Amino acid sequence: MSTTVEVVALHVSPVHAYEGRPADGPRPDPEPVSRDRVVVRAGLGLVGDRYFNRPAHRRAAVTFFAAESLDHVAEALGLAAAPDPLLVRRNVVLRGFDVDALARHDVFALDSGDGPVRFEVGRPANPCAWMDAVIAPGAFAALRRRGGVRCVPLDDGVLGRGPAVLLA
């Protein structure tokens, strides 16, 4: 099945910003985390990301998230607009596909113009309590079962922001 999607945001960060207690606030990123393009390495993750080539995260090195989940948060919490997709700290934010409906070991491909890159779903990317601190109180609960999925890349390639095709 081929679905036209939009890559809304790409996020690569060499450090964890959400460590410690949410009341203390996030740690500042040492460099901008938003990317127009990211380099994917099979079995390793996104070049420059904190989970790249980490043995404990190889089966969960790349996270995917549905932008529609942020629309749900805005509606559920009465926010004026959907939160910034980079706040959830997921690597790839898509609009137009329910990534949370993917099951463990599902394989899908994303082609944003530089050729398809395949990913295998590992496990859900459950939201954390930090969402209440960085988005709004209640965001953590609103994102339950809408936190995205953790994947392992099966191919080398490049992903870019903008229109894309998802093959599931």
Side-chain angles (χ1 to χ4, degrees), residues 61-83:
V62 180
T63 53
F64 282 82
F65 184 82
E68 291 83 358
S69 294
L70 293 173
D71 299 338
H72 169 76
V73 168
E75 184 179 322
L77 302 180
L79 304 177

Side-chain angles (χ1 to χ4, degrees), residues 88-111:
V88 294
R89 308 279 297 183
R90 299 298 189 243
N91 298 119
V92 183
V93 180
L94 299 177
R95 180 168 296 283
F97 186 79
D98 183 7
V99 298
D100 294 297
L102 293 167
R104 187 177 185 94
H105 302 299
D106 281 353
V107 174
F108 66 95
L110 186 62
D111 185 347

Side-chain angles (χ1 to χ4, degrees), residues 6 34 36 58 66-67 100 122 127 130 159 168:
E6 179 186 0
S34 178
D36 289 328
R58 286 212 183 110
D100 294 297
W130 273 95
L159 298 177

Side-chain angles (χ1 to χ4, degrees), residues 85-153:
L86 294 174
L87 290 175
V88 294
R89 308 279 297 183
R90 299 298 189 243
N91 298 119
V92 183
V93 180
L94 299 177
R95 180 168 296 283
F97 186 79
D98 183 7
V99 298
D100 294 297
L102 293 167
R104 187 177 185 94
H105 302 299
D106 281 353
V107 174
F108 66 95
L110 186 62
D111 185 347
S112 59
D114 291 294
V117 181
R118 293 175 308 133
F119 296 88
E120 180 181 345
V121 177
R123 64 182 189 264
N126 297 316
C128 66
W130 273 95
M131 297 300 99
D132 283 354
V134 298
I135 294 176
F140 173 53
L143 283 170
R144 282 197 186 109
R145 293 176 297 284
R146 297 175 186 267
V149 293
R150 297 182 182 281
C151 302
V152 60

Side-chain angles (χ1 to χ4, degrees), residues 28-72:
D29 283 297
E31 61 187 66
V33 297
S34 178
R35 301 285 191 272
D36 289 328
R37 296 169 60 79
V38 293
V39 176
V40 182
R41 292 289 174 245
L44 301 175
L46 303 182
V47 174
D49 193 61
R50 62 199 175 281
Y51 294 122
F52 183 80
N53 198 24
R54 300 275 182 190
H57 295 282
R58 286 212 183 110
R59 302 293 308 160
V62 180
T63 53
F64 282 82
F65 184 82
E68 291 83 358
S69 294
L70 293 173
D71 299 338
H72 169 76

